Amino acid sequence: MNQQLIFNHDFSFDENTDSVRCSCLAAGMRLHIYIKKPQGWDNQSWLEQIKEDCFYWEEQIEEAAKADRFNEDGVLYLDGSA
């Protein structure tokens, strides 16, 4: 998947996965991204940190997309301790 990604900046915390969730568009398809919260962070602080570092995470997502790490449902899981 080498299409340019369009980021929606729709960050929210997902309690079920203990991750920050966001999405992007690629070739008209909405892709979902989950960035796992590292140990020692509370939910709101992790969400705020992801928002603050969004350009870093966008680069990580683009690299993962180029490596085709999305699952068959268009979901990408990233480790927040990266």
Side-chain angles (χ1 to χ4, degrees), residues 44-55:
Q44 187 62 35
S45 295
W46 183 237
L47 174 60
E48 293 304 317
Q49 188 66 48
I50 294 294
K51 288 179 180 179
E52 187 176 313
D53 295 336
C54 69
F55 293 116

Side-chain angles (χ1 to χ4, degrees), residues 4-82:
Q4 181 178 355
L5 301 178
I6 300 170
F7 293 91
N8 296 317
H9 297 277
D10 56 351
F11 301 103
S12 62
F13 195 84
D14 184 79
E15 298 278 341
N16 293 329
T17 61
D18 204 29
S19 303
V20 168
R21 175 181 57 205
C22 62
S23 66
C24 63
L25 299 174
M29 184 174 158
R30 186 175 187 158
L31 306 173
H32 300 278
I33 298 97
Y34 292 85
I35 307 169
K36 184 76 172 159
K37 180 182 75 175
Q39 285 187 325
W41 286 81
D42 65 78
N43 299 353
Q44 187 62 35
S45 295
W46 183 237
L47 174 60
E48 293 304 317
Q49 188 66 48
I50 294 294
K51 288 179 180 179
E52 187 176 313
D53 295 336
C54 69
F55 293 116
Y56 167 81
W57 288 105
E58 287 175 2
E59 288 179 16
Q60 299 303 305
I61 293 164
E62 286 175 353
E63 287 179 22
K66 286 178 186 174
D68 201 23
R69 290 182 33 211
F70 288 97
N71 70 13
E72 64 276 354
D73 296 323
V75 177
L76 172 66
Y77 295 93
L78 295 175
D79 183 4
S81 60

